[in-house]
Amino acid sequence: MSAHAAAPRPCAVTEAASHGRLHPEPHPGHRNEFQRDRDRIIHCGAFRRLEYKTQVFVNHEGDLYRTRLTHSLEVGQIARTCAQALGLNVDLVEAIALAHDLGHTPFGHAGQDALAARMAGLGGFEHNIQSLRVVDSLETRYAAFDGLNLTFETREGLLKRCPAERAEQLGPVAARFIHGGQPTLEAQLVNLCDGIAYNSHDVDDGLRSGLITVDACRRTELLAPLFAEVADAYPYLDERRTIYEVVRRMINIQVEDVIRTSAASIEAATPGSVEAVRERSQPLIGFSADMARRHQGLKDFLFNNLYRHYRVARMVRKSQAVVQALFDAFLDDPGLMPEQHQAAAQEGEARQGRPGRARAVADYIAGMTDRFAIEEYRRLCRPEELT
Ligand code: MG
């Protein structure tokens, strides 16, 4: 154990307190159960596809921008640091972080919104629920079961929002969306670190792309003191290194704040077990009020200046058109999809009618990388490609 690791807390998840796997398996032996979850996630196909899925920028726009894969790794890194300092289960945190975006559509939030709009009235679409679907059933690699057969705690940690109707279908893993309560501290932590990671890398990518400027960033409450600190310490530093120095400080002050604030909340509440955490009405992991305000301020700044920049807006519109066209074509005629997805559509339709057919179409589209979705669109919707 390193010098910075806190002693495990009684409210941290342990193997002994785990609710286990849907299909019982022998203990992995030289790994713990959560390390096995992490390893299964890293070896699955959906994890590899994250490399070619957008965060904000479409994948082929530039090699230096974040993808869902690098985002997931950054969330894992930040969350592991916090978990270690807080005495939580580091392996579980890593497994949740690496799997949290497995269900993301191509083209980031633009793709997710387009698919959710098409699935309205057909069972809906939400990428966190889709991440659970990927690890529970869509990955078909093992002889004895569909999905990755992950532990209850990793699966529970993937859900963030869930309508009551879907929660009922999902069972105990989604119970808190019916009866209230919280997920484990490990899941709460990954959720918060997701926000730290994307705020930080979107500043970095946004500046690199030229869509936002150093001057504009300097005016945000979170970044203003950090730019001043870097300028003080290194008065002649070039802009590129200044940005890196600011971004690393930005991650650091948020991490320090989360650790300090959450440790105090946990100590004040002293939950004696994971169940005591689950029964609470409010999360115990969080920012201080001051940091929450500065974090939100930066989020608003990125929303107004980066995500709504006209060049991003053009990309959003084009990528939504691709998702919509693919969805409409496949729902109209599932025979246009590869055999395995046709079979899923037939099966879904036999069981649940049109929503079942639509679910198979959504699964196929959600699994696509940016590039594959664009190629499918060309093959289906561009008559000049007939020859
Ligand atoms: Mg994420």
Side-chain angles (χ1 to χ4, degrees), residues 29-324:
H30 49 287
R31 296 173 289 175
N32 69 45
E33 296 284 5
F34 306 108
Q35 289 171 336
R36 172 152 71 183
D37 280 3
R38 174 203 61 200
D39 297 348
R40 285 187 177 177
I41 292 158
I42 288 175
H43 286 281
C44 82
F47 185 73
R48 287 192 294 281
R49 287 198 300 273
L50 292 177
E51 185 177 0
Y52 302 102
K53 292 193 180 202
T54 302
Q55 192 65 25
V56 174
F57 301 87
V58 173
N59 185 263
H60 55 258
E61 290 235 321
D63 290 344
L64 284 175
Y65 297 128
R66 264 65 171 194
T67 65
R68 290 270 159 210
L69 180 63
T70 53
H71 163 71
S72 301
L73 296 175
E74 288 178 33
V75 175
Q77 180 272 314
I78 295 169
R80 272 198 322 266
T81 301
C82 298
Q84 182 160 285
L86 286 167
L88 301 178
N89 189 321
V90 176
D91 298 318
L92 173 59
V93 154
E94 185 170 27
I96 298 172
L98 294 182
H100 87 281
D101 268 348
L102 288 179
H104 228 297
T105 59
F107 314 123
H109 287 280
Q112 133 95 25
D113 293 348
L115 197 51
R118 283 298 197 260
M119 285 296 285
L122 292 168
F125 182 88
E126 207 274 330
H127 74 271
N128 299 121
I129 301 176
Q130 189 70 9
S131 296
L132 183 64
R133 210 171 143 69
V134 167
V135 302
D136 277 359
S137 58
L138 297 180
E139 280 290 326
T140 47
R141 316 169 55 78
Y142 297 92
F145 43 77
D146 282 348
L148 307 179
N149 196 33
L150 302 182
T151 61
F152 179 90
E153 291 72 20
T154 301
R155 298 170 57 237
E156 175 194 32
L158 298 180
L159 295 175
K160 281 187 204 165
R161 287 167 291 271
C162 187
E165 198 181 68
R166 282 302 290 281
E168 278 184 20
Q169 297 159 359
L170 292 170
V173 80
R176 71 182 189 275
F177 300 101
I178 301 169
H179 311 296
Q182 298 297 320
T184 62
L185 295 176
E186 286 80 358
Q188 295 177 30
L189 184 61
V190 174
N191 191 8
L192 199 72
C193 293
D194 191 14
I196 296 178
Y198 65 67
N199 253 1
S200 312
H201 58 53
D202 288 354
V203 165
D204 191 28
D205 284 351
L207 286 167
R208 183 179 296 111
S209 67
L211 299 189
I212 54 175
T213 63
V214 166
D215 272 350
C217 289
R218 221 193 285 273
R219 290 194 292 272
T220 63
E221 205 190 344
L222 183 65
L223 299 181
L226 304 179
F227 273 104
E229 192 185 307
V230 173
D232 252 12
Y234 307 101
Y236 303 106
L237 198 62
D238 64 59
E239 186 173 285
R240 194 62 240 153
R241 286 199 205 212
T242 299
I243 292 167
Y244 282 130
E245 286 292 336
V246 166
V247 170
R248 61 184 279 246
R249 281 170 173 75
M250 173 185 174
I251 296 174
N252 204 41
I253 56 165
Q254 292 179 89
V255 163
E256 302 258 308
D257 185 89
V258 168
I259 293 170
R260 205 171 37 243
T261 310
S262 306
S265 307
I266 295 168
E267 270 140 40
T270 56
S273 66
V274 180
E275 290 317 313
V277 170
R278 286 197 175 102
E279 282 162 14
R280 298 186 60 84
S281 59
Q282 294 297 323
L284 284 170
I285 302 289
F287 289 126
S288 63
D290 175 58
M291 185 58 77
R293 194 192 61 249
R294 291 197 272 161
H295 178 90
Q296 186 58 44
L298 188 74
K299 221 167 157 176
D300 296 343
F301 165 79
L302 288 171
F303 183 79
N304 291 320
N305 295 280
L306 179 60
Y307 311 142
R308 289 201 338 206
H309 190 284
Y310 82 93
R311 276 171 54 201
V312 175
R314 287 179 182 191
M315 233 150 49
V316 164
R317 195 178 175 98
K318 276 195 284 187
S319 41
Q320 291 191 326
V322 169
V323 169
Q324 287 159 357

